[in-house]
C-alpha cells in the first residue's frame, strides 16, 4: 500500500498464488451447529488493486479483483454428508469484480491505533462481462473505534456486516472466524448470505512492540 501527497491518494495492490486447506460444514446456522464437515483443498491465484482519493475527510475510489480457483473436496457427489452440497461448476472457476470503496480514517496510526476510528464500506460486483464465471454481488461494512485508557492501555470496539446476492459460490459467502471477526470460531463453520458481528477488546502494551 502506498500513500501519496500527505495521504491525498492511497494506492494498494496484492497478488499471489497458493493452496489453503479447510473444512466445509455447509450453509446456514443449522449446518454449522451440526458439526459435520468435508475437508477441502483449494488452490488458486488472486490479483486485487484499488485506488482511493481523499475528498473532504473521506477516501473513495474503485477496486478491481480477479481470482482463479480450483476446489478439490475429499468427498464428492453421493458421498457428501447430508446437508452439504458442492456444485460441479464451482470446482473450477474464475471470478472477477469491480466496485466502489469508501473509507473514513481518523486513526492516529495505521499499525497500532490508540485513538480515533475507521469506517469502511465496500461493494464488489462480480460479472460475466468482467470475465467472471458467476454473476453476484458482495457488500461489506465495518466500523472500528479506539479509545486510549492510559499510555499503555487501549479499548478497541468493532462492528461489521456482510451480505451477498446473486449466483454466489460457496467460498465467497459471508463467514465467521475470518479477518479477526469473532476469534475462537473455526473459520467457515458458519457461513451464509448474511452476517453480523461485533466485539470489544482490551489491549495492554507490556513492552515496546509486545502486547496482549
Amino acid at each position: 500500500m502506498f500513500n501519496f501527497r500527505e495521504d491525498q491518494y492511497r494506492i494498494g495492490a496484492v497478488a499471489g498464488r497458493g493452496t489453503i486447506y479447510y473444512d466445509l460444514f455447509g450453509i446456514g446456522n443449522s449446518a454449522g451447529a451440526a458439526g459435520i464437515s468435508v475437508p477441502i483443498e483449494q488452490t488458486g491465484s488472486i490479483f486485487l488493486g484499488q485506488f482511493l482519493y481523499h475528498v473532504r475527510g473521506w477516501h473513495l475510489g474503485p477496486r478491481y479483483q480477479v481470482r482463479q480457483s480450483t476446489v478439490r473436496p475429499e468427498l464428492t457427489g453421493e458421498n457428501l454428508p447430508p446437508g452439504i452440497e458442492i456444485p460441479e461448476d464451482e470446482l473450477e472457476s474464475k471470478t472477477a469484480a469491480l466496485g466502489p470503496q469508501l473509507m473514513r480514517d481518523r486513526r492516529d496510526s495505521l499499525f497500532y491505533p490508540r485513538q480515533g476510528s475507521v469506517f469502511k464500506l465496500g461493494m464488489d460486483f462480480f460479472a460475466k462481462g468482467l470475465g467472471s464465471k458467476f454473476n453476484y454481488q458482495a457488500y461489506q461494512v465495518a466500523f472500528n473505534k479506539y479509545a486510549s485508557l492510559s499510555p499503555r492501555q487501549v479499548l478497541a470496539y468493532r462492528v461489521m456486516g456482510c451480505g451477498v446476492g446473486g449466483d454466489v459460490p460457496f467460498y465467497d459467502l459471508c463467514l465467521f472466524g475470518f479477518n479477526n471477526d469473532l476469534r475462537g470460531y473455526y473459520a467457515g463453520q458458519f457461513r451464509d448470505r448474511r452476517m453480523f458481528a461485533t466485539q470489544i477488546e482490551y489491549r495492554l502494551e507490556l513492552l515496546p512492540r509486545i502486547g496482549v
Side-chain angles (χ1 to χ4, degrees), residues 1 15 21 48-49 86 104 115 118 123 152 175 206-207:
M1 186 174 73
Y21 302 87
L48 183 149
I86 305 177
R104 187 176 183 90
Q115 59 184 5
V118 58
M123 292 175 278
R152 292 189 174 186
L175 54 90
L206 301 177
L207 297 169

Side-chain angles (χ1 to χ4, degrees), residues 192-211:
D192 213 329
R193 289 179 172 263
R194 305 288 183 270
M195 185 182 75
F196 172 82
T198 184
Q199 58 189 343
I200 191 167
E201 179 175 289
Y202 169 77
R203 299 175 178 177
L204 174 63
E205 183 182 351
L206 301 177
L207 297 169
R209 302 181 182 273
I210 299 178

Side-chain angles (χ1 to χ4, degrees), residues 2-10 52-55 59:
F2 299 93
N3 298 57
F4 297 99
R5 295 188 62 183
E6 298 182 352
D7 208 25
Q8 184 71 34
Y9 305 98
R10 290 188 178 185
L52 301 179
Y53 179 73
H54 185 263
V55 180
H59 282 89

Side-chain angles (χ1 to χ4, degrees), residues 4 14 23 25 28 33 44 51-52 81 100 155 165 171 175 186 189 195 209:
F4 297 99
V14 60
D23 293 326
F25 292 80
F51 173 84
L52 301 179
L155 197 64
Y171 51 79
L175 54 90
Y186 184 92
Q189 180 172 354
M195 185 182 75
R209 302 181 182 273

Side-chain angles (χ1 to χ4, degrees), residues 24 36 38 40 73-87:
L24 177 64
I36 301 173
V38 174
I40 299 288
E74 187 174 278
L75 301 174
T76 58
E78 298 179 353
N79 296 322
L80 288 171
I84 298 180
E85 296 182 5
I86 305 177

Side-chain angles (χ1 to χ4, degrees), residues 140-169:
Q140 310 89 27
V141 60
F143 176 76
N144 292 14
K145 175 69 176 178
Y146 306 91
S148 179
L149 305 179
S150 74
R152 292 189 174 186
Q153 299 179 87
V154 176
L155 197 64
Y157 171 73
R158 174 175 171 84
V159 59
M160 66 82 63
C162 168
V164 296
D167 187 20
V168 55

Side-chain angles (χ1 to χ4, degrees), residues 90-142:
E90 296 180 13
L91 297 179
E92 294 279 350
S93 61
K94 176 184 178 182
T95 58
L98 181 66
Q101 308 297 310
L102 179 66
M103 173 189 295
R104 187 176 183 90
D105 193 348
R106 293 181 169 179
R107 295 172 292 179
D108 61 342
S109 170
L110 294 178
F111 304 103
Y112 191 83
R114 300 177 183 275
Q115 59 184 5
S117 63
V118 58
F119 171 84
K120 295 181 181 181
L121 174 65
M123 292 175 278
D124 296 299
F125 300 101
F126 295 82
K128 293 182 179 180
L130 297 172
S132 179
K133 187 175 183 179
F134 309 103
N135 288 319
Y136 62 101
Q137 311 81 42
Y139 309 91
Q140 310 89 27
V141 60

